[in-house]
């Protein structure tokens, strides 16, 4: 079991699976938010909230979603502390990511820095007029969307930089 892991970096040409849907996962102690991208990796949208349980049904459901949605990559949020340390929530996310990776191999499971995504999701929902009570049902999905959209945006920026470098090198 890995106790410490740094987030992965999107757009690494050695790890890039290419075109296809990506799944975003926000790991919580009670619920897991899931989002998916379009095949071109431009926009993340909410999918569902999976209830977490001791029997591992949540892992089966995540693996099932990855298969149903034909995910080429799964992005799990890594909630590092503001001091950039690995706390209990991050260890929990790492354990879930590793177990999911075993179930859906060879589809890669990556970790993305997700500091403040839940806070950002709450602000967005509040700004959209969603009450605190209504937020509980969708906050995990909104956080998963924020994690995945951040990954997609950074991936596109990395790819654009690589293309620009290729043009200036050639």
């Amino acid at each position: 079991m890995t106790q410490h892991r740094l987030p992965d970096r999107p757009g690494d040409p050695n790890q890039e699976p290419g075109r296809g849907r990506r799944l975003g996962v926000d790991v919580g102690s009670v619920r897991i938010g899931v989002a998916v991208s379009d095949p071109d990796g431009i926009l993340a949208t909410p999918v569902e909230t999976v209830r977490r349980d001791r029997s591992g049904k949540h892992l089966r459901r995540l693996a099932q979603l990855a298969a149903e949605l034909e995910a080429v990559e799964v992005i799990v949020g890594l909630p590092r502390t503001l001091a950039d340390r690995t706390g209990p929530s991050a260890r929990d996310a790492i354990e879930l990511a590793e177990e999911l990776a075993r179930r859906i191999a060879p589809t890669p499971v990556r970790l993305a820095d997700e500091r403040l995504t839940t806070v950002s999701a709450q602000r967005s929902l509040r700004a959209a007029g969603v009450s605190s009570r209504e937020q509980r049902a969708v906050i995990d999905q909104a956080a998963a969307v924020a994690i995945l959209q951040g990954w997609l945006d950074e991936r596109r920026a990395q790819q654009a930089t690589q293309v620009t470098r290729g043009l200036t090198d050639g």
Side-chain angles (χ1 to χ4, degrees):
M1 179 182 70
T2 304
Q3 287 295 313
H4 176 76
R5 245 186 85 187
L6 292 174
D8 295 299
R9 304 277 310 167
D12 179 345
N14 300 322
Q15 296 183 336
E16 179 58 41
R19 186 177 188 276
R21 295 178 183 269
R22 275 124 176 105
L23 216 58
V25 177
D26 176 56
V27 179
S29 58
V30 178
R31 293 176 302 276
I32 299 168
V34 183
V36 69
S37 75
D38 60 285
D40 292 319
I42 295 169
L43 186 65
T45 55
V47 174
E48 72 179 68
T49 300
V50 176
R51 180 152 293 291
R52 199 154 177 188
D53 68 357
R54 294 195 202 298
S55 71
K57 281 184 189 168
H58 58 283
L59 286 162
R60 283 194 295 281
R61 180 61 183 148
L62 292 172
Q64 184 181 26
L65 284 169
E68 284 173 10
L69 297 167
E70 298 175 347
V72 296
E73 176 174 59
V74 176
I75 313 305
V76 175
L78 181 63
R80 312 252 316 145
T81 67
L82 291 177
D84 203 25
R85 293 205 167 85
T86 304
S89 295
R91 284 191 291 277
D92 185 38
I94 291 167
E95 284 179 34
L96 185 138
E98 289 175 348
E99 179 59 36
L100 184 59
R102 283 190 284 278
R103 288 176 182 243
I104 66 170
T107 303
V109 176
R110 314 247 192 259
L111 294 170
D113 187 343
E114 67 137 295
R115 282 175 283 184
L116 305 179
T117 52
T118 302
V119 172
S120 158
Q122 286 171 330
R123 279 195 195 120
S124 297
L125 290 170
R126 203 169 26 251
V130 179
S131 74
S132 296
R133 181 180 299 253
E134 294 169 313
Q135 279 185 25
R136 268 185 241 127
V138 295
I139 191 68
D140 303 290
Q141 290 176 44
V145 166
I147 290 164
L148 183 55
Q149 192 63 56
W151 181 272
L152 297 172
D153 294 346
E154 195 174 335
R155 177 178 170 261
R156 263 195 322 280
Q158 289 294 332
Q159 289 173 334
T161 300
Q162 290 161 8
V163 167
T164 304
R165 276 195 201 126
L167 292 174
T168 57
D169 291 348

